[in-house]
Amino acid sequence: MTTARHPVMALLYKSDPERGRRWQALFAEHAPDIEFRQWPNIGNPDEIRHLLAWQPPEDIAALLPNLEVLFATSAGIDQFDTSILPEALPVVRMLDPAIEQGMIEYATFATLWLHRHMADYVRQQRQHQWQAHMITPAGERRLGILGLGQLGGAIAQHLKEYGFQVSGWSRTSRELPGITTYAGAEQLKAFLGECDILICVLPLTDETRGMLAQTLFEHLPPGAALINMGRGDHLVEADLTAALATGQLSGAVLDVLREEPPAEDHPFWQNPCILMTPHVGAMTQPETAFPVLLDNLRRHQRGEMMLGRVDRQRGY
C-alpha cells in the first residue's frame, strides 16, 4: 500500500538572511505544512506558491511560474517595479504592528527633538555653552501629518495626547477624532499654513514624488520644521538646503534619503539644522509580523480577501 504524497506548498523568502532564520523557525513551529525556503536556495521553483521579499527577483514570471502571491516585507511597496510584475499577481504589503509602533516612537522622538530645541543644545554642549531656550507650550505648537493612512492616523492620535494641535492631510477625505483634517489639492495650502512641524508619512507615488519642495515649503509658516519618515524621493534635497539657509525652515529630521547612505560630500552631513538617521524609523519584526502573514496565507488558501492587498493603480 502506498501513501499519497501531498503536493509541496513552498514559500520563498528573499530579504535579510538573519531575519530569515527567525522567519524559518516560526514557520517550522506554527505552519509546518508550508515549506520555508530562503533565497537563493529555491529548490524546485514549480513548488513555490508564495514569495516574501524586499525586492523580488528579476523575470519573476519565468523563474517562479506557479507563484500566487507576492508579500512585501515592508509597509510600502515603492521599492517594487510593479510594471514588470505579472498583472494578475496579487501584491500584499506587510501589516506588522511593530511597524506602526516603531513609526509612532520615531515621530514622537523627532517631534520632541524639534519642539524642545535639542539640536541647539547639542551644538551648545560641543561649544561649552550653557544657555536655556524658551519653551513653547505644546498647546501652542501646531503639528501637521502629511498622509493619514494607517500609520499617519496612528501618529496623529498619539501626538495629540501630548497636547499638541494636530491636523492632517490626505488625498481623499478622512475623519479622525480630535484631529483637524484636510483633503485634496484644493485644501493643501490651508493645511500647510497650520503646520509649525510637518511630518511626512506619505506613500511614494508618481503624485507624491518630489512633493517636499520649494513650492510646498513656501506655504509653511516661516521657521517651520520638517520630519520626513516617508521615502527619500519625496524630498527635493537642494530645496531643503535652500529653505534652511533662508530661515524659511528652522530644522529637519530625516530618516530617509534619495541615496542611502548619502555620499561622503553630501551637504546634509555637515548641516547643523539637519538630523539624519539611517532609515530606522521602523523595522519589520518576524515575531510580530508572523501572525498577520500567516493569517493572510490561510485567507488565500481559503479563497478569502487578504488584508493589505495593494491597489496597483494607486501604488499602495
Side-chain angles (χ1 to χ4, degrees):
M1 179 178 178
T2 59
T3 303
R5 185 175 183 272
H6 294 290
V8 174
M9 180 179 295
L11 177 143
L12 176 63
Y13 171 84
K14 183 178 181 291
S15 191
D16 175 60
E18 180 178 347
R19 292 189 202 178
R21 288 187 285 272
R22 292 156 62 189
W23 281 108
Q24 186 171 26
L26 290 163
F27 273 96
E29 180 179 357
H30 301 287
D33 58 306
I34 301 174
E35 185 174 312
F36 184 91
R37 299 177 186 175
Q38 185 157 318
W39 179 270
N41 302 314
I42 69 175
N44 182 353
D46 293 341
E47 296 171 343
I48 295 173
R49 298 291 188 271
H50 308 103
L51 174 62
L52 175 61
W54 167 252
Q55 278 280 14
E58 296 180 4
D59 201 4
I60 190 173
L63 180 64
L64 306 174
N66 295 320
L67 186 65
E68 297 175 2
V69 186
L70 169 57
F71 292 99
T73 59
S74 57
I77 58 105
D78 54 90
Q79 72 276 16
F80 291 178
D81 182 355
T82 56
S83 67
I84 64 174
L85 297 176
E87 290 186 8
L89 179 67
V91 179
V92 180
R93 61 189 181 87
M94 184 60 68
L95 299 176
D96 178 7
I99 292 178
E100 179 177 308
Q101 180 61 29
M103 293 290 273
I104 289 172
E105 291 174 1
Y106 190 94
T108 303
F109 143 75
T111 297
L112 295 178
W113 172 272
L114 295 164
H115 173 60
R116 295 298 299 268
H117 308 286
M118 289 299 112
D120 291 329
Y121 291 124
V122 170
R123 174 181 51 80
Q124 290 174 192
Q125 178 177 332
R126 290 170 179 167
Q127 297 174 354
H128 294 209
Q129 294 180 353
W130 191 264
Q131 177 184 348
H133 295 270
M134 292 294 295
I135 295 174
T136 300
E140 297 178 15
R141 185 78 74 186
R142 300 169 298 176
L143 309 184
I145 315 298
L146 195 57
L148 282 180
Q150 178 183 349
L151 295 177
I155 290 169
Q157 295 286 6
H158 180 81
L159 291 176
K160 180 173 65 70
E161 298 304 314
Y162 285 79
F164 294 114
Q165 300 178 43
V166 182
S167 62
W169 179 91
S170 54
R171 188 176 66 87
T172 56
S173 181
R174 302 283 177 89
E175 291 188 9
L176 292 172
I179 309 297
T180 303
T181 58
Y182 299 80
E186 65 278 3
Q187 294 186 355
L188 179 59
K189 182 177 178 180
F191 162 73
L192 294 171
E194 297 296 322
C195 298
D196 298 317
I197 298 176
L198 178 66
I199 305 174
C200 177
V201 286
L202 287 167
L204 183 63
T205 66
D206 290 341
E207 290 73 25
T208 64
R209 191 180 305 274
M211 188 172 179
L212 301 177
Q214 178 183 349
T215 52
L216 181 145
F217 299 151
E218 289 174 348
H219 294 307
L220 293 169
L226 173 69
I227 300 169
N228 189 14
M229 303 169 55
R231 288 290 187 261
D233 282 346
H234 283 131
L235 176 65
V236 178
E237 295 179 349
D239 287 3
L240 173 60
T241 300
L244 291 169
T246 64
Q248 176 60 26
L249 294 185
S250 59
V253 178
L254 309 175
D255 188 47
V256 288
L257 295 169
R258 286 178 177 269
E259 180 184 350
E260 297 178 357
E264 286 293 325
D265 60 350
H266 196 292
F268 285 2
W269 285 113
Q270 302 300 326
N271 194 317
C273 298
I274 296 175
L275 174 66
M276 294 190 298
T277 54
H279 209 143
V280 295
M283 299 179 184
T284 298
Q285 301 297 330
E287 290 76 14
T288 52
F290 178 80
V292 183
L293 176 64
L294 182 59
D295 177 62
N296 262 338
L297 286 166
R298 298 308 188 202
R299 285 171 177 266
H300 179 66
Q301 290 172 344
R302 296 190 298 264
E304 299 173 3
M305 178 67 71
M306 292 176 289
L307 304 178
R309 181 165 176 172
V310 173
D311 182 333
R312 295 276 196 97
Q313 298 299 318
R314 298 172 67 182
Y316 56 93

